[in-house]
Amino acid sequence: MELDSLGKALINRKVKDAQYRRETGNYTTDIDATTRLQSVTQERDLDEFLNTAQLAGTDFTAEKQNIRVVQAPTVGVSSAHNPFLLSAQDEKQLVQRHGEHKERLRVPRRPPWTKGTTTVQLDRQERDAFLEWRRGLAELSEKEELLLTPFERNIEVWRQLWRVLERSHLVVQIVDARNPLKFRCEDLESYVKDIEGSEGEKGTGKGKRRTLLLVNKADLLTKAQRTTWADYFDANNVRFAFYSAANASALQEKLLQNENGERQEGSDTPDGQSGTETSGPETSEPSTDSEPEVGAINEVQDESDERIRVLSVQELEELFIKTAPPLSGIISTLDEIYL
């Protein structure tokens, strides 16, 4: 009861503090630690200014009654109304301009670090690097008038990505088969190759990780379409595989139904008798219920081209193990720590 009361008291205190901040008429750069992993893809001009101030390490507080937010002069009336409604010609020009600035439209990188870097130093370096990345995008948007889609602005979310990539040896991107290139992030693949060592430490060697493009919903593609995509990925040196989560789920459900049916039949037989015994002279043919009806769920797989095969869950797991780089780097690192 005491712990429960303490928890409620802490929650009530947070609610009151949040309400106080709203009612006092002040904006501040303080952030609640409980929401630090909340995804932020869009911000008001004032919120963006305050978050930028926090990243820069500036303690900023102002009375909102004295603040006036002025719209950027480069934003026209029509685009301010809805900047994402573009004509076909405008969209074509925008795609071309994005290609021209491809090197600047990148995934934010974690700055180089070593085991001698302190926590405070690393935190400051990460904030500075992230702030520089934000400023670069802002410059493209303002000076180059480049239209950017909503992107993640919370550094804590990016920190999760950095640490996951550093601890991974095979990074799998899952894309929609109806438009794989729309969802594929080429720069993420480049970033994965640049991460050093088994933990990401500077000076331990690059190129130790691999990537795989998993084309999901492949059951929506015809054989000819899968072949075309396979040729494209091979020509661009992209590791890929076709998969269908819907088919895998249906097959798994079918297997579970068959297993439950067999258990039910076994429980209905008298003690000491086998569920497969028959009392009459009729002979029963071997049952095929234990095997899922693949043809009813998916088209018959073409064995002539393994590239376009829609993999099952087991085949996908085997592919992950086969594609992942050798674990010799991890083993040597663990040996140094524990031996």
Side-chain angles (χ1 to χ4, degrees):
M1 291 297 295
E2 293 181 358
L3 292 177
D4 185 51
S5 300
L6 177 60
K8 291 181 178 179
L10 292 174
I11 294 175
N12 292 335
R13 177 60 183 273
K14 287 183 176 294
V15 172
K16 291 180 180 180
D17 289 344
Q19 183 178 2
Y20 173 77
R21 286 194 294 269
R22 289 194 301 267
E23 294 177 351
T24 53
N26 294 331
Y27 282 101
T28 178
T29 56
D30 293 340
I31 290 183
D32 186 0
T34 60
T35 60
R36 64 189 183 91
L37 289 180
Q38 181 178 359
S39 178
V40 180
T41 56
Q42 288 181 307
E43 292 176 322
R44 297 177 301 167
D45 292 343
L46 183 58
D47 292 332
E48 184 173 1
F49 171 74
L50 293 171
N51 289 332
T52 302
Q54 186 197 23
L55 286 172
T58 304
D59 185 12
F60 177 84
T61 303
E63 295 182 3
K64 65 181 179 182
Q65 291 87 351
N66 297 332
I67 291 179
R68 181 182 179 187
V69 179
V70 181
Q71 184 174 321
T74 57
V75 180
V77 177
S78 60
S79 61
H81 175 66
N82 193 337
F84 299 103
L85 293 180
L86 303 175
S87 64
Q89 182 64 23
D90 291 339
E91 184 175 359
K92 183 178 180 180
Q93 293 177 354
L94 181 62
V95 172
Q96 181 179 357
R97 296 182 63 191
H98 276 196
E100 296 172 355
H101 298 282
K102 184 178 180 180
E103 294 300 323
R104 300 180 64 184
L105 295 172
R106 309 176 67 198
V107 173
R109 266 60 168 173
R110 188 185 191 189
W113 61 273
T114 63
K115 293 181 179 179
T117 306
T118 65
T119 303
V120 176
Q121 290 173 339
L122 184 58
D123 179 76
R124 185 69 267 163
Q125 292 174 7
E126 289 178 348
R127 290 180 180 274
D128 291 342
F130 187 72
L131 180 59
E132 187 65 24
W133 176 74
R134 288 280 301 269
R135 286 173 175 168
L137 294 181
E139 182 179 355
L140 289 176
S141 179
E142 296 173 5
K143 294 184 178 181
E144 303 294 338
E145 298 184 6
L146 197 64
L147 181 62
L148 301 178
T149 56
F151 59 91
E152 183 58 60
R153 302 165 186 263
N154 186 356
I155 186 176
E156 297 297 339
V157 176
W158 288 109
R159 279 172 167 166
Q160 295 299 310
L161 175 66
W162 296 339
R163 284 149 180 76
V164 168
L165 293 181
E166 289 177 348
R167 287 160 176 76
S168 303
H169 280 238
L170 176 64
V171 178
V172 181
Q173 285 193 71
I174 304 177
V175 298
D176 195 312
R178 292 168 290 186
N179 196 342
L181 301 185
K182 192 74 173 180
F183 299 93
R184 177 193 174 201
C185 181
E186 294 185 52
D187 187 58
L188 179 63
E189 298 172 3
S190 300
Y191 181 27
V192 170
K193 295 178 182 178
D194 291 339
I195 299 177
E196 300 190 53
S198 59
E199 298 178 336
E201 184 180 7
K202 179 182 177 181
T204 52
K206 300 180 180 180
K208 297 183 180 295
R209 291 162 179 77
R210 295 177 183 173
T211 59
L212 175 69
L213 195 69
L214 186 61
V215 185
N216 190 28
K217 300 184 180 179
D219 57 303
L220 301 179
L221 301 181
T222 64
K223 174 185 174 182
Q225 289 173 329
R226 294 202 303 272
T227 302
T228 301
W229 279 117
D231 292 339
Y232 173 84
F233 291 138
D234 282 341
N236 289 273
N237 298 320
V238 178
R239 295 188 187 91
F240 69 95
F242 291 105
Y243 181 68
S244 173
N247 282 4
S249 177
L251 289 170
Q252 186 68 20
E253 183 177 354
K254 182 69 175 179
L255 288 173
L256 291 176
Q257 290 177 354
N258 292 334
E259 291 178 1
N260 292 334
E262 293 176 356
R263 292 173 183 172
Q264 184 65 29
E265 292 177 1
S267 62
D268 291 340
T269 57
D271 294 340
Q273 295 184 4
S274 172
T276 58
E277 292 181 357
T278 57
S279 57
E282 297 180 359
T283 58
S284 60
E285 297 181 357
S287 174
T288 59
D289 291 342
S290 60
E291 296 294 332
E293 298 178 5
V294 179
I297 299 175
N298 194 6
E299 62 181 78
V300 178
Q301 295 286 339
D302 186 1
E303 301 293 342
S304 62
D305 192 351
E306 287 294 330
R307 302 179 308 161
I308 65 174
R309 181 179 179 83
V310 181
L311 302 183
S312 65
V313 175
Q314 182 177 358
E315 291 171 333
L316 188 62
E317 292 177 351
E318 294 174 354
L319 178 64
F320 288 164
I321 296 175
K322 180 180 178 181
T323 307
L327 300 180
S328 57
I330 293 181
I331 295 175
S332 61
T333 302
L334 293 177
D335 289 344
E336 293 178 1
I337 296 175
Y338 295 105
L339 296 182

